[in-house]
Amino acid sequence: MITVYHNARCKKSREGLEIVKNSGKDYEVREYLKEPLSETELKQILDKLSFYPMQLIRTNEKIWKEEYKNKDLSDRELITVMVKNPKLIERPIVETKDTAVVGRPGSKIEDLLQ
């Protein structure tokens, strides 16, 4: 099963979801702002992405700049920050059983689905 971690207000996320829809494959959508990720789920996604937590953070978001930018946070603390502030999570994320990609650019999603 393919899972799309989606923010409906984000143009890139909508574009990524459209790529998945057009693939004809079975998928589910998780609007992670409405149904936040747990720390365990976020760690599993990071593992599939082969990312450090900082690589998944949207550093241009106002909340990041105002509350976290100049702090020296551990990976564990960064995961907690993303769980508490899911708006900071880069999007869209498309996950399969074994791997995941951040769909920027959309061609990464296309490559994953092939």
Side-chain angles (χ1 to χ4, degrees), residues 35-49:
E35 185 184 345
L37 298 165
S38 69
E39 288 191 16
T40 300
E41 289 171 319
L42 189 53
K43 286 176 191 175
Q44 290 170 345
I45 291 168
L46 286 164
D47 286 345
K48 287 183 180 182
L49 289 166

Side-chain angles (χ1 to χ4, degrees), residues 30-77:
R30 176 145 174 205
E31 292 191 41
Y32 64 91
L33 295 179
K34 294 179 183 176
E35 185 184 345
L37 298 165
S38 69
E39 288 191 16
T40 300
E41 289 171 319
L42 189 53
K43 286 176 191 175
Q44 290 170 345
I45 291 168
L46 286 164
D47 286 345
K48 287 183 180 182
L49 289 166
S50 296
F51 276 19
Y52 293 106
M54 195 65 215
Q55 291 174 278
L56 196 58
I57 292 180
R58 297 174 55 84
T59 57
N60 285 327
E61 291 289 341
K62 182 179 178 182
I63 192 169
W64 177 261
K65 290 177 180 179
E66 290 178 354
E67 294 189 30
Y68 303 106
K69 182 178 180 179
N70 295 314
K71 293 184 179 178
D72 184 23
L73 301 172
S74 68
D75 285 352
R76 188 171 163 182
E77 290 169 323

